[in-house]
Amino acid sequence: MNSETLVWWDMDSCPVPASYDASLVGPSIHLALEKLGYRGPVTITAVGKLKHTSEDVLRAISSTGITVKYDPLSRYDSFSDEVESWQLRNPAPASIMLIADSSLFDLWSRDLRSLQKERYNTLLVYRSAPPKKAPKLVTSAKWRWKSLLKEAMASDGKLEAKRQILQEKRSKRSFVCTLCYAAWRSVEKFAGHLQCLDHEVKKFETAIDTDCLDNLDQEMMEKELEELECFLKEEAKLYRRTKVTTKLVKRASILLAKKIQWEELKKKLKERDQLASQGKHERWKEFEGMKKRKFVNEGAESSRQKKMRLG
Ligand SMILES: [Zn+2]
């Protein structure tokens, strides 16, 4: 088969295993496809919230031509959009390989079935074993995520040779933020963006109705929460079951926390606009730079913690 294969890798449900060299993921996928006779071009997109993925892992993944996409929202929309635009460039027969948890295959099953009707091959890589009640999909091939990576490791020198070829070919603009519709070639700039104020505000606005938060009175909310907590204490003394009030307190405190977070973000935005109007861009850049360094350290720490857990 010499037509193109699109690979959609959900990094949240199928992360790079802790002890695995992230720069070998791309070559491993290529080798698994080649083994089955898929010899056409391969486009790999790694999608996720990237919360626990360090800068080093991102750099290693992208070094073999994988596009990394930050996407905290509906993975269904993200997948549909990508497949739709890919189909325009790649009429059937062509292939789509999906690397995800089985719950996502359920979510995508209708799209996958219609792709199959249009003569596209679907190849599925499950995080663990396929569930007993798997969606009725006619797949051309199935793998388990960790087995696919492990099998490639056992392919003698082929994996290393593949990595070298892919690293030489590396495509441009490998990092994308789907919230802000922006792309970067450098992982440092991408990581910096994920920590910057504009991105933080966008993320917040997408997750919650900020107009509604604007209309809330913080003082009144704090007072109401206090009253609810007092009521909860009284209720706990009198009755065994306090579920209703506990729920109300939880909901009120979450809303209050969001309100406080939103007010802080607005304050920072105001501060930045003031600095910008005074021509003090450099001071702001310094502030953003400090946050970026924090991100790098966090990444290093999390991989260290992972190692400790394994060891
Ligand atoms: Zn962004």
Side-chain angles (χ1 to χ4, degrees):
M1 172 109 38
N2 290 321
S3 56
E4 185 167 321
T5 302
L6 171 73
V7 181
W8 184 261
W9 169 23
D10 177 57
M11 280 187 76
D12 291 333
S13 61
C14 294
V16 180
S19 52
Y20 198 81
D21 178 352
S23 72
L24 292 175
V25 174
S28 300
I29 294 170
H30 278 262
L31 284 188
L33 287 167
E34 279 173 18
K35 213 173 163 185
L36 293 181
Y38 292 83
R39 299 196 177 272
V42 178
T43 308
I44 309 176
T45 308
V47 189
K49 294 188 185 110
L50 312 175
K51 236 181 185 174
H52 307 291
T53 316
S54 74
E55 220 172 286
D56 285 342
V57 168
L58 292 177
R59 189 178 292 108
I61 289 170
S62 73
S63 72
T64 53
I66 296 179
T67 300
V68 178
K69 278 190 178 178
Y70 168 83
D71 187 353
L73 297 168
S74 156
R75 288 182 281 182
Y76 175 73
D77 290 342
S78 184
F79 169 70
S80 299
D81 291 350
E82 176 100 4
V83 169
E84 224 169 85
S85 67
W86 175 80
Q87 269 184 293
L88 293 174
R89 300 187 306 272
N90 295 282
S95 312
I96 298 184
M97 179 196 240
L98 295 161
I99 305 166
D101 187 48
S102 54
S103 63
L104 278 172
F105 295 137
D106 285 344
L107 190 70
W108 296 331
S109 60
R110 201 202 259 177
D111 289 67
L112 293 176
R113 269 195 289 267
S114 71
L115 280 166
Q116 286 169 341
K117 271 185 200 158
E118 293 169 47
R119 290 189 305 120
Y120 284 97
N121 294 312
T122 52
L123 315 152
L124 303 183
V125 183
Y126 289 86
R127 183 173 73 164
S128 45
K132 280 176 191 160
K133 272 188 168 183
K136 283 171 192 156
L137 292 167
V138 186
T139 54
S140 306
K142 274 183 208 166
W143 292 267
R144 282 190 199 189
W145 179 226
K146 282 189 183 168
S147 321
L148 182 148
L149 299 175
K150 216 170 159 187
E151 269 172 39
M153 290 292 274
S155 63
D156 300 323
K158 277 187 189 168
L159 192 62
E160 185 51 45
K162 195 54 150 181
R163 170 162 63 181
Q164 270 181 24
I165 295 169
L166 292 172
Q167 282 179 336
E168 278 160 22
K169 268 201 221 161
R170 204 193 147 185
S171 59
K172 285 179 187 173
R173 289 194 163 218
S174 311
F175 302 97
V176 179
C177 175
T178 56
L179 270 190
C180 306
Y181 296 105
W184 297 264
R185 209 179 163 183
S186 123
V187 68
E188 290 81 9
K189 284 189 180 157
F190 175 61
H193 168 78
L194 295 185
Q195 295 294 306
C196 85
L197 187 60
D198 286 322
H199 176 78
E200 223 175 302
V201 171
K202 188 92 187 169
K203 211 167 93 182
F204 201 89
E205 284 175 335
T206 326
I208 198 161
D209 181 353
T210 49
D211 286 340
C212 167
L213 286 183
D214 282 331
N215 293 330
L216 293 172
D217 184 328
Q218 192 173 324
E219 257 179 57
M220 196 126 84
M221 287 172 81
E222 280 163 345
K223 220 172 128 191
E224 274 175 15
L225 183 63
E226 218 174 281
E227 281 170 10
L228 268 174
E229 278 167 343
C230 281
F231 187 69
L232 179 66
K233 273 184 200 162
E234 290 300 313
E235 205 183 35
K237 272 186 218 163
L238 294 169
Y239 313 104
R240 276 189 182 179
R241 290 162 64 91
T242 54
K243 271 186 186 166
V244 177
T245 325
T246 313
K247 258 187 197 168
L248 281 175
V249 169
K250 209 175 163 189
R251 227 180 279 164
S253 48
I254 290 172
L255 192 62
L256 180 62
K258 291 281 172 207
K259 169 77 179 169
I260 293 169
Q261 216 180 332
W262 179 231
E263 290 305 322
E264 273 171 12
L265 277 175
K266 282 200 293 186
K267 210 173 115 188
K268 278 190 197 167
L269 269 181
K270 211 172 156 189
E271 196 188 318
R272 187 191 59 181
D273 291 346
Q274 271 171 1
L275 285 172
S277 69
Q278 291 163 12
K280 292 175 182 167
H281 293 284
E282 290 311 310
R283 241 188 84 193
W284 184 260
K285 270 189 201 162
E286 235 172 68
F287 174 72
E288 295 270 320
M290 274 164 63
K291 285 196 355 185
K292 207 187 103 190
R293 277 196 290 281
K294 197 175 153 244
F295 175 83
V296 176
N297 291 338
E298 275 169 8
E301 200 169 73
S302 77
S303 62
R304 203 163 51 230
Q305 279 168 343
K306 267 183 206 163
K307 267 183 202 158
M308 278 169 70
R309 245 192 301 125
L310 283 169

